Amino acid sequence: MNPAVYPAPAPAGNAAAPFSGGDTAAASSPRPGPLWLAIHFPWLAGEVLYGKGTGPFLSAVSVESPRGWVVHRASPEAQQEGVWPGMTVSAASVMCPGLMVERRRPEREQERLAEIGDRMLSFSPVVSVQGPETVLLEVQGSLGLFGGVDRLGRLIGRKLDAAGHAHRIAGAPTPSAAKCLARWGRGAVVADRPALRSALGDMPLGLLALDAKTAARLERAGLRVLRDLWRLPADGLARRFGAALVRELDRLQGRRPDPQPLHVPPPYFSSVLMLDWATDDLVQINRGVEHLLGQWTDYLQRSARGTSGFRIECLAEQGGGATRVDIGLRRISRDREHLRRLVGERLAGLRLPGPVSGLVLASDRIHPLQAGNADLFETDEETMQWRHSEELLAMHMGGRGLDTLEVVAEHRPELAWRSDDGKGPGGFSSRTNEGSPDAFLHRPLWLLDTPRPLPWPEEPSRCRHGPKLVEGPERIETGWWDRQDQRRDYYVAADSRGRRLWVFQDLRCRQWYLHGLFA
């Protein structure tokens, strides 16, 4: 079974569950095109004023118009009493005695949509917040991960249900069509572009993104649904109603590009927790911090990012200031348990000047998180255990008490390593001679700051009691572009006392130098 359109079952609760069995035709195509899911929130204006869910039974949100204050959105219970958008507030109050009416707050709606957009990043990296009441996701690349569009839609619906958001979900190959289907409330997934015309034929023209003047002219001409426009030639529509209408129809059908602005989470995070009563008990304070850490790591998970540090502020009661605890990380992380252990170590020795009435967790050190490749014989658990121990050791030693090294893509030994802060040398590099597969040339842990001249003859191996060249040469000829050019042959040598040395001969003057010692 592979139909082009999947109708939704009847709505249940807050959500219209749009997916029920089967996958879309686009998902089975060998080269699938884009698939957009649109999530429409018909009662968002009321949720930000009355709380999530339906709010008070008889409630509405009003906006100012030339006719005075009119209803912008009404709760489902108020709609059952005959209150509908566009009705004047006075008429709605007569129609529905006891109706609660609040003024619309668009800025709070946009903030709520941005929060929802952050949560949708856990389902797709391509999210667009389409104010005032819609969020878009491009999900074609996520279908294999979540088991198809039906299952993905149900997962999204359950998450929104748990958050108390009334919503409608629909999908289409174009973002404009997906938005129209979701606002229309049909809760369908249109699998391919050829099916769009029939799926949208009965849609009211009021759902198109048209200016009021064009919408009024279409109304006067007796054009009510999209099928009325499908029957008319495009050039005639452009002459009578303007080119903007034709462009909107082309975007709807995918005949014209329709780029969407990407939703990017803000580069900062802040959350406040006010305690029920002021306390200086570190156990109680730790519980509050763990609650904030849960919010913090959830935010990092859904936005595919990590942190290199954050701060915790313990707010004194009655505005007495705050005790600040800074947590710095050596590596970007979003592991909740790891962060909890670090915070626990810092708070264990914290001395508070007085009772704490609130906690703040904030950070502007947020970075995109890219997964790396693990070593073939290294388990994730071992890796994380080592990194956690490293962080705890660095926290106990403080500052630059602990340094780690990283390899740099550079052949010159002095420049082939640096400390992990990237500010300069502070470690070593272990490399092999890539040009000689038979020779495995090692570099020592201990490098001298400056190579030391050796009183060796030009050919030391010819001396009976002289040093012995054990491995080599590893030739390095590079650096001419930055005036630190080198022309050297490196060897592993053994002296008369059995020490293993790392030496080189400068090919320009034939002088020998000691550059490192092996343990």
Side-chain angles (χ1 to χ4, degrees), residues 268-290:
Y268 60 86
F269 175 88
S270 180
S271 183
V272 181
L273 175 66
M274 300 308 297
L275 304 180
D276 293 334
W277 57 83
T279 179
D280 57 2
D281 184 358
L282 289 179
V283 175
Q284 298 295 330
I285 293 173
N286 259 313
R287 291 176 181 171
V289 171
E290 288 184 8

Side-chain angles (χ1 to χ4, degrees), residues 59 98 101 136 156-157 173 177 212 226 245 264 270 279 281-282 292 316 372 405 455:
S59 55
V101 181
L136 278 170
I156 294 174
L226 267 178
L245 174 61
V264 180
S270 180
T279 179
D281 184 358
L282 289 179
L292 292 176
L405 315 174

Side-chain angles (χ1 to χ4, degrees), residues 411-414 450-451 473-478 484-491 502-508 511 513 515:
H411 290 281
R412 289 168 289 186
E414 300 91 338
T450 303
E474 176 190 2
R475 176 160 293 184
I476 296 178
E477 292 188 75
T478 186
Q484 299 184 53
D485 59 308
Q486 296 180 2
R487 297 183 66 237
R488 301 173 179 177
D489 277 347
Y490 276 87
Y491 296 85
W502 202 44
V503 301
F504 69 85
Q505 185 180 40
D506 193 321
L507 300 179
R508 294 171 296 189
Q511 172 68 44
Y513 292 86
H515 201 175

Side-chain angles (χ1 to χ4, degrees), residues 72-400:
H72 172 67
R73 291 288 182 267
S75 67
E77 292 77 13
Q79 292 180 31
Q80 292 176 5
E81 297 296 327
V83 178
W84 290 96
M87 179 182 294
T88 63
V89 172
S90 58
S93 299
V94 173
M95 179 73 68
C96 181
L99 179 69
M100 294 184 61
V101 181
E102 293 286 345
R103 183 177 179 180
R104 186 188 178 198
R105 300 295 176 87
E107 68 285 352
R108 293 177 59 182
E109 295 174 30
Q110 198 62 29
E111 292 174 1
R112 183 66 57 82
L113 277 181
E115 295 175 5
I116 296 172
D118 291 346
R119 295 183 180 276
M120 292 302 103
L121 286 170
S122 59
F123 298 104
S124 170
V126 182
V127 174
S128 181
V129 175
Q130 300 287 314
E133 297 172 331
T134 306
V135 173
L136 278 170
L137 297 80
E138 203 292 304
V139 298
Q140 187 60 254
S142 304
L143 298 184
L145 179 64
F146 291 98
V149 67
D150 298 325
R151 188 169 182 272
L152 175 58
R154 288 193 292 270
L155 289 173
I156 294 174
R158 282 199 291 268
K159 173 165 281 195
L160 295 174
D161 282 340
H165 293 297
H167 62 277
R168 304 168 183 160
I169 305 178
T174 68
S176 294
K179 286 188 288 186
C180 287
L181 283 169
R183 292 179 61 195
W184 193 14
R186 289 300 178 90
V189 174
V190 180
D192 49 25
R193 289 182 183 176
L196 282 174
R197 290 176 68 93
S198 60
L200 297 172
D202 294 329
M203 189 187 79
L205 297 183
L207 296 177
L208 294 178
L210 301 176
D211 60 88
K213 183 178 179 180
T214 302
R217 293 177 62 193
L218 291 170
E219 178 74 18
R220 288 194 300 268
L223 303 174
R224 303 287 191 271
V225 297
L226 267 178
R227 184 171 289 107
D228 297 336
L229 301 184
W230 297 148
R231 296 167 178 166
L232 301 177
D235 55 349
L237 283 175
R239 285 195 304 268
R240 291 192 60 187
F241 303 103
L245 174 61
V246 177
R247 288 195 297 268
E248 177 64 18
L249 295 177
D250 286 343
R251 283 190 290 267
L252 197 67
Q253 300 175 83
R255 296 175 179 174
R256 181 181 293 269
D258 190 14
Q260 302 297 315
L262 284 180
H263 171 69
V264 180
Y268 60 86
F269 175 88
S270 180
S271 183
V272 181
L273 175 66
M274 300 308 297
L275 304 180
D276 293 334
W277 57 83
T279 179
D280 57 2
D281 184 358
L282 289 179
V283 175
Q284 298 295 330
I285 293 173
N286 259 313
R287 291 176 181 171
V289 171
E290 288 184 8
H291 176 77
L292 292 176
L293 282 175
Q295 297 179 1
W296 178 215
T297 52
D298 285 345
Y299 168 83
L300 295 174
Q301 288 282 349
R302 63 177 179 258
S303 60
R305 297 192 288 182
T307 181
S308 60
F310 56 96
R311 70 178 184 274
I312 295 172
E313 297 178 7
C314 301
L315 307 178
E317 60 179 340
Q318 297 178 352
T323 301
R324 176 167 169 166
V325 179
D326 290 302
I327 308 294
L329 304 179
R330 301 174 63 81
R331 290 184 175 86
I332 296 173
S333 175
R334 61 180 180 185
D335 187 318
R336 180 180 304 185
E337 179 62 23
H338 174 46
L339 299 181
R340 187 193 64 79
R341 291 177 60 190
L342 291 178
V343 172
E345 289 286 336
R346 289 296 303 274
L347 295 182
L350 183 65
R351 293 184 178 180
L352 297 170
V356 173
S357 61
L359 299 167
V360 177
L361 190 152
S363 176
D364 57 1
R365 298 165 64 180
I366 303 173
H367 315 276
L369 194 62
Q370 297 180 351
N373 293 326
D375 188 89
L376 179 61
F377 300 106
E378 184 179 61
T379 66
D380 292 340
E381 183 178 355
E382 291 172 345
T383 304
M384 296 308 299
Q385 184 177 3
W386 160 247
R387 291 181 178 177
H388 294 174
S389 300
E390 179 189 354
E391 295 276 8
L392 290 171
L393 182 60
M395 181 171 292
H396 283 299
M397 299 180 69
R400 297 288 296 178

